Amino acid sequence: MTVFPEASGAAPLRVLVAGAAGRQLVPRLEAAGHEVVVLRYGILYGPGTRYAPGGAVVAALAGDPGARFPGSTAADDSVGSFVHVGDAAEAAVRALAWPPGAYDAVDDEPAPAHVWLPVLAEALGVPAPGRTAGRAPWARGAVNVRARALGRAPARPSWRTGFADRG
């Protein structure tokens, strides 16, 4: 997600960017004198996501060969960080007032897949995958220390309660 104000030639603007495409624009925006806030979201879950009841993760965990889920359902040591869609939206609104910089919009509990996948599977009523060895080299999780220091407290501080609420 990238939010661009209308170009007007006015004073420098605050620009909120998220996602890889948005981060690629940061040097250009900063060079133009704009204040840039970068949000790095965790894995989005909740209504309308792949992790919601009826979503692609449910199909993948249930063994549906036609499941359209590009991620992994390996219960390994890869660490992920989650954020509920409601908390992600709240972080975006708050970030408009934060100082320029990069912030992680995640919950308080990064966890390896072999811990969170069985909890998700139970909440969704599908079989949990068996534990596997290894981890994706990039899967190290994230923490929200900088955002918390500015007053952000996710309504769902753990994926455990978020998954259990199924929403």
Side-chain angles (χ1 to χ4, degrees):
M1 168 181 83
T2 305
V3 177
F4 287 102
E6 300 227 1
S8 64
L13 303 169
R14 175 170 297 273
V15 181
L16 174 64
V17 299
R23 287 191 298 273
Q24 292 173 357
L25 297 172
V26 170
R28 191 175 90 203
L29 293 166
E30 289 175 335
H34 300 300
E35 295 181 344
V36 181
V37 176
V38 177
L39 283 181
R40 297 180 296 225
Y41 289 108
I43 301 166
L44 291 166
Y45 74 95
T49 70
R50 294 178 173 135
Y51 292 80
V57 173
V58 176
L61 288 171
D64 178 355
R68 299 190 67 171
F69 177 62
S72 172
T73 56
D76 61 11
D77 293 324
S78 297
V79 177
S81 294
F82 287 87
V83 63
H84 188 276
V85 291
D87 288 328
E90 180 264 343
V93 171
R94 285 183 173 267
L96 294 171
W98 292 344
Y103 301 87
D104 292 320
V106 296
D107 70 13
D108 295 337
E109 192 179 356
H114 69 83
V115 173
W116 66 259
L117 259 169
V119 175
L120 176 65
E122 181 178 346
L124 296 173
V126 294
R131 171 108 189 239
T132 59
R135 80 186 250 307
W138 49 264
R140 63 186 191 286
V143 294
N144 61 10
V145 174
R146 292 192 70 212
R148 274 220 176 254
L150 294 171
R152 180 182 177 268
R156 291 163 194 84
S158 171
W159 48 267
R160 292 176 191 273
T161 53
F163 289 174
D165 291 345
R166 300 177 102 212

